[in-house]
Amino acid sequence: MTYPDRPRQDAHDDGSRPSRDARGNGSWPPRGAYDDGSWPPPDAADRAPSQPAGVHPAHAGAGYTAALSAPPVPAASSVHAPAVRPELVPKALDALDGAPAPRAKPGRDRYLDLLRAVALVRVVVFHLFGWAWLTVLFPSMGVMFALAGSLMARSLARPALSVIRGRLRRLLPPMWAFSLVVVPVMFALSWKPVREEGLWWFVKLGSYLFPLGSPPYPEESGSDGGWLELSWADQAAGPLWYIRAYLWFVLASPLLLRAFRRLPWATLLAPVALTAVIGTGLVTVPGTFGEGLVDFAVFGSCWILGFAHNDGLLKEIPRYIAVSSAAIVMGFGLWWASGHLTEEGWNLDEIPLAQATWSLGFCAVLLVYAPSWQKLPGRLAGWDSLVTLANNRAVTIYLWHNLLLMAALHLVDQLWSVPWFGDTFGTYIEKSYEVLVLIAVWPLIGLAIVAFGWVEDVAAKRRPRLWPNGADRRRRA
């Protein structure tokens, strides 16, 4: 089993269980009229559309509003229609050129919801199988940061302090629930403060409450071969790097957005340049601050790309230019990766500059071609419930999935102990071991959603729900 951004350490030296990678992908903000969470879910004020998709705020002026508000002129009527001011028509046409009609009512962008759900599934699969090519096929972390950046930019139409406070309110309580379970178990298994670090050790322990840094954990805890293996604490703390990076981005977003709207290209590419300096070893920043700074740089351009998506700037660039530029950036990422392969091969999570450039280009293509779906189309509509559930419980799924993968491993191990079954089907169990674990982990994730997911509703000041898959909304519709 793998987890994000940490040195690889196999769960079993004989390779019988999946390995763990250095930075899994995980991810997980939509535009919602109903209460579907994301990472974190949008505030109520985020749900009202400000202008038609694809229209930059600077282009939607008084002429646009006035022209649209004019009553329609009947084709044939004895009543004289109100006159339309001719000087406003060109402005209205310019604003509407290439832009879809404004929505009749606010609603979630189901395309973004689908991307987030795919990213979460890819995280679980990657952390189980450890297939390096998955980081190239779908860079989940970059996708999730880009989606989060888009929603953050829209939220910042309101006062920055209230937006940051709302994001923290949604993010921290689910992490506190996770820490309330995990940290006491660490201490119960003989984890003790590091005497040499003194008071600083307790300061670092505070990262389980406010994750500005990396929280401490015992390198070895539990027992070899037991239900809690020696590396369980390491696995449990693995996903917390994403919470730290997300928090950094939230706190920095007011300044980043202001810089982006003044110097968009320089701001967009600055994190890539920073990655080229500190992510390649040219300059080394030690300690947990250095780790956080590298994560901030690697995915910073994806976050800021979300700003561009929200502001409609991607629609202003001719599509062939946008896609060609993205392809060049992605090509550079693969070229750089080819010369800096690690023991894990093409695992881009181990190659910061390749991860930064490949994720940026990949997310740019996804957002340039982004449709605006109020409903999942065609056959995708059959997945509506699961997509809604995944978005409502993104934080819970991401925080708990590593521990649940370990639990699934042990459940599958018990098949060998079942009388007659283990002796008869032992060979088949061994050959399909990882697939059986993948099957077993989803019911466990469902149990975690029921047991802990309601905290996300409480944090968002909503009525707690055990299984928020949108069924109530569909019945009302």
Side-chain angles (χ1 to χ4, degrees):
M1 183 173 59
T2 59
Y3 72 82
D5 285 332
R6 298 293 176 266
R8 176 172 180 150
Q9 175 183 354
D10 292 337
H12 283 264
D13 294 336
D14 61 1
S16 61
R17 292 191 185 172
S19 60
R20 164 169 83 72
D21 89 323
R23 174 185 297 135
N25 289 253
S27 111
W28 297 95
R31 308 172 182 177
Y34 57 87
D35 290 332
D36 285 5
S38 58
W39 192 308
D43 293 329
D46 297 338
R47 297 169 182 163
S50 54
Q51 67 266 344
V55 180
H56 190 277
H59 295 174
Y64 168 82
T65 304
L68 288 185
S69 62
V73 180
S77 174
S78 60
V79 179
H80 293 288
V84 178
R85 295 171 61 187
E87 67 274 14
L88 296 182
V89 173
K91 295 182 180 181
L93 293 177
D94 289 342
L96 290 173
D97 185 29
R103 294 174 177 173
K105 59 181 179 179
R108 291 181 66 97
D109 192 328
R110 299 300 278 168
Y111 174 73
L112 302 185
D113 285 353
L114 179 64
L115 289 181
R116 189 175 298 104
V118 171
L120 284 171
V121 172
R122 209 283 277 155
V123 168
V124 176
V125 173
F126 179 54
H127 288 172
L128 173 60
F129 292 97
W131 293 330
W133 53 268
L134 282 175
T135 63
V136 179
L137 179 65
F138 194 87
S140 290
M141 291 310 306
V143 171
M144 295 173 67
F145 279 120
L147 300 181
S150 179
L151 180 60
M152 189 67 187
R154 186 168 68 168
S155 299
L156 285 173
R158 297 180 288 115
L161 185 59
S162 66
V163 173
I164 292 175
R165 186 168 56 246
R167 290 296 182 271
L168 296 182
R169 190 184 69 241
R170 287 163 170 78
L171 179 68
L172 296 180
M175 180 179 175
W176 294 341
F178 176 81
S179 301
L180 190 63
V181 174
V182 171
V183 175
V185 175
M186 293 179 184
F187 282 109
L189 294 176
S190 303
W191 186 39
K192 297 180 180 179
V194 179
R195 180 175 301 177
E196 292 76 13
E197 295 187 12
L199 184 61
W200 178 244
W201 187 90
F202 293 94
V203 173
K204 292 196 301 181
L205 191 65
S207 293
Y208 283 103
L209 299 177
F210 197 78
L212 283 176
S214 299
Y217 55 87
E219 293 294 336
E220 292 187 354
S221 181
S223 59
D224 191 14
W227 278 92
L228 290 177
E229 296 180 352
L230 292 176
S231 65
W232 81 269
D234 197 7
Q235 300 279 357
L240 299 183
W241 78 268
Y242 179 82
I243 309 295
R244 177 191 64 202
Y246 185 92
L247 181 60
W248 283 32
F249 282 126
V250 166
L251 296 177
S253 281
L255 293 179
L256 288 177
L257 185 59
R258 183 178 301 177
F260 170 75
R261 287 175 174 168
R262 291 185 178 181
L263 299 170
W265 289 108
T267 307
L268 178 65
L269 297 177
V272 175
L274 181 60
T275 304
V277 174
I278 66 174
T280 61
L282 186 63
V283 174
T284 301
V285 181
T288 58
F289 176 77
E291 295 176 2
L293 189 60
V294 170
D295 294 334
F296 186 85
V298 168
F299 297 106
S301 290
C302 292
W303 185 275
I304 295 170
L305 186 69
F307 294 171
H309 173 257
N310 174 78
D311 286 1
L313 294 183
L314 297 180
K315 300 294 184 182
E316 296 182 353
I317 304 173
R319 183 170 291 181
Y320 73 94
I321 294 180
V323 174
S324 300
S325 302
I328 293 173
V329 173
M330 295 168 70
F332 172 82
L334 292 182
W335 171 80
W336 182 266
S338 67
H340 298 82
L341 299 179
T342 66
E343 294 179 356
E344 300 181 22
W346 285 86
N347 182 4
L348 300 186
D349 298 329
E350 292 291 327
I351 313 170
L353 185 57
Q355 175 75 288
T357 50
W358 177 262
S359 296
L360 174 60
F362 191 94
C363 292
V365 173
L366 289 180
L367 296 179
V368 164
Y369 282 96
S372 183
W373 293 339
Q374 288 187 310
K375 295 181 180 179
L376 294 177
R379 295 182 178 180
L380 291 175
W383 298 90
D384 183 81
S385 294
L386 292 179
V387 170
T388 300
L389 180 66
N391 278 268
N392 275 324
R393 294 295 181 257
V395 183
T396 299
I397 295 171
Y398 186 75
L399 283 174
W400 290 94
H401 78 274
N402 260 2
L403 286 177
L404 298 177
L405 280 172
M406 296 185 71
L409 289 168
H410 286 291
L411 287 178
V412 175
D413 284 345
Q414 302 310 306
L415 293 178
W416 274 289
S417 303
V418 177
W420 176 79
F421 187 87
D423 295 335
T424 306
F425 298 100
T427 302
Y428 299 99
I429 296 174
E430 182 177 357
K431 290 182 178 180
S432 58
Y433 185 81
E434 288 84 1
V435 175
L436 292 174
V437 173
L438 184 62
I439 295 173
V441 75
W442 297 113
L444 296 178
I445 289 176
L447 291 175
I449 288 174
V450 172
F452 303 103
W454 57 270
V455 178
E456 295 193 50
D457 289 330
V458 174
K461 296 183 177 180
R462 294 192 300 255
R463 175 181 56 84
R465 298 164 296 172
L466 294 180
W467 198 254
N469 64 349
D472 292 341
R473 173 184 56 85
R474 288 189 291 272
R475 283 195 295 269
R476 291 195 300 268

